[in-house]
């Protein structure tokens, strides 16, 4: 799994994007469908606690971090091809922002507009020394995490992604298996410590989920979120060193390769299900899991089949066309399909 920064995709990044997408929809479905607040000591309450212990604030940092990695790779690859990578990336961000404005009308908590703004802010850091980016990003993330500034955490997470790109972490990851193992162990210990702290703040079974105690519980979840995100990333990297695991999890790679399309379509599927099945304001948190499982099946199958015949996802193709100002070839050649 050693790859250089060329036109070749780094499969590991697609796996990680797909993995992040699986978690993001679990959280978004509850808010988009306005799920009932869970009743104390109910099965729904157990699932709600699971979401906010292991899912919420754990998967969006992965996706944000990967956006930073992608930002570095995009500009670098454009420069290799003799193009102005910064100008192209600004165009890319403008297109993303426009998509985000439209998406925001249906999903107020969407991330595309925030990513486009953060990407523009961080553009100068592409040329900053990688060690400075790493140290500054880490320190900023620690401070913002301590105060649970979730939106502002996007900036240091993305900056750390840029630093990871500068260090060529994902191109040479298979050369550092011992380092990855040590990283997983450290992040596991820190994650367990953080979860224990969050558990101590968990509302009692008799309390409603909108109390001050609950807010402390949720804020602690935001604070420790990057630790669990790092543990999840490390674990996925370790698992994907196995050729068998890569083959079994191949649909997740396709899912991540079409992350832009799938992110937008997750909102569509949730809102359509909420309207047609009259689920909005009439659904329990645990029932949103069933909606997500249905979305998984549809999108994993669609992504796998689509990418067998086409080079890009539908919205990825539009994004690319508007960025470069030309229509990229969409359909694969027969030789590529046979492969």
């Amino acid at each position: 799994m050693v790859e250089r920064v060329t036109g070749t995709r780094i499969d590991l990044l697609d796996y990680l994007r797909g993995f992040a997408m699986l978690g993001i929809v679990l959280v978004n479905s509850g808010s988009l469908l306005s799920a009932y607040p869970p009743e104390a000591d109910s099965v729904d309450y157990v699932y709600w606690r699971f979401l906010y212990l292991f899912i919420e604030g754990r998967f969006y940092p992965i996706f944000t971090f990967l956006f930073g990695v992608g930002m570095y790779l995009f500009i670098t690859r454009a420069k290799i091809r003799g193009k102005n990578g910064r100008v192209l990336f600004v165009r890319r961000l403008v297109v993303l922002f426009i998509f985000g404005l439209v998406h925001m009308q249906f999903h107020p908590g969407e991330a595309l507009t925030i990513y486009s703004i953060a990407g523009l802010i961080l553009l100068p850091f592409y040329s900053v020394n990688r060690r400075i980016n790493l140290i500054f990003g880490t320190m900023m993330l620690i401070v913002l995490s301590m105060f649970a500034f979730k939106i502002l955490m996007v900036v240091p997470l993305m900056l750390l992604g840029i630093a990871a790109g500068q260090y060529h972490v994902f191109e040479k990851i298979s050369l550092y298996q011992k380092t990855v193992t040590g990283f997983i162990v450290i992040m596991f210990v820190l994650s367990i410590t953080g979860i224990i702290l969050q558990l101590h703040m968990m509302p009692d079974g008799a309390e409603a989920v909108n109390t001050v105690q609950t807010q402390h519980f949720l804020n602690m979840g935001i604070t420790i979120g990057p630790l669990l995100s790092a543990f999840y990333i490390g674990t996925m990297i370790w698992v994907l060193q196995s050729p068998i695991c890569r083959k079994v999890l191949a649909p997740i790679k396709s899912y991540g390769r079409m992350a832009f399309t799938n992110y937008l379509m997750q909102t569509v599927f949730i809102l359509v299900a909420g309207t047609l099945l009259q689920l909005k304001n009439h659904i329990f948190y645990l029932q949103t899991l069933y909606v997500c499982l249905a979305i998984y099946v549809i999108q994993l199958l669609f992504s796998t089949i689509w990418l067998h015949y086409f080079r890009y996802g539908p919205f990825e193709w539009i994004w690319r066309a508007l960025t470069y100002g030309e229509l990229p070839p969409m359909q694969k050649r027969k030789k590529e399909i046979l492969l």
Side-chain angles (χ1 to χ4, degrees), residues 173-241:
I173 197 69
S174 61
L175 301 178
Y176 304 107
Q177 293 188 23
K178 290 184 179 180
T179 302
V180 171
T181 302
F183 177 81
I184 293 172
V185 172
I186 294 172
M187 289 301 110
F188 176 75
V189 172
L190 292 176
S191 296
I192 290 299
T193 303
I195 288 176
I196 291 173
L197 290 174
Q198 190 179 4
L199 280 170
H200 282 301
M201 298 182 177
M202 182 175 288
D204 296 331
E207 293 184 11
V209 297
N210 58 353
T211 61
V212 174
Q213 180 67 24
T214 300
Q215 192 58 52
H216 291 320
F217 169 75
L218 298 178
N219 287 342
M220 179 54 71
I222 295 172
T223 298
I224 68 171
L227 296 176
L228 274 84
S229 301
F231 171 67
Y232 291 167
I233 289 175
T235 302
M236 279 294 291
I237 291 173
W238 182 80
V239 168
L240 291 169
Q241 296 307 304

Side-chain angles (χ1 to χ4, degrees), residues 77-94:
R77 289 169 174 172
K79 290 173 64 178
I80 291 174
R81 294 194 299 269
K83 298 183 178 181
N84 191 322
R86 287 181 173 82
V87 171
L88 284 175
F89 193 72
V90 170
R91 289 184 193 170
R92 188 172 174 84
L93 292 177
V94 170

Side-chain angles (χ1 to χ4, degrees), residues 278-311:
Q278 298 183 342
L279 299 178
K280 190 172 177 62
N281 297 310
H282 298 92
I283 191 171
F284 294 100
Y285 267 94
L286 184 58
Q287 292 173 326
T288 65
L289 174 61
Y290 308 143
V291 175
C292 292
L293 291 176
I295 292 174
Y296 288 164
V297 173
I298 295 170
Q299 291 194 316
L300 287 168
L301 282 174
F302 178 77
S303 298
T304 301
I305 295 172
W306 180 275
L307 289 177
H308 182 71
Y309 296 100
F310 301 99
R311 300 171 187 268

Side-chain angles (χ1 to χ4, degrees), residues 27-89:
V27 176
N28 288 345
S29 59
S31 60
L32 285 172
L33 293 174
S34 300
Y36 293 127
E39 296 182 4
D41 300 321
S42 65
V43 176
D44 203 45
Y45 187 56
V46 173
Y47 179 64
W48 179 85
R49 287 186 294 184
F50 168 79
L51 277 179
Y52 284 91
L53 281 172
F54 300 103
I55 308 296
E56 164 62 17
R58 282 65 169 141
F59 285 84
Y60 94 84
I62 298 176
F63 204 75
T64 306
F65 169 78
L66 293 174
F67 189 90
V69 177
M71 174 179 173
Y72 174 82
L73 292 175
F74 180 92
I75 297 174
T76 300
R77 289 169 174 172
K79 290 173 64 178
I80 291 174
R81 294 194 299 269
K83 298 183 178 181
N84 191 322
R86 287 181 173 82
V87 171
L88 284 175
F89 193 72

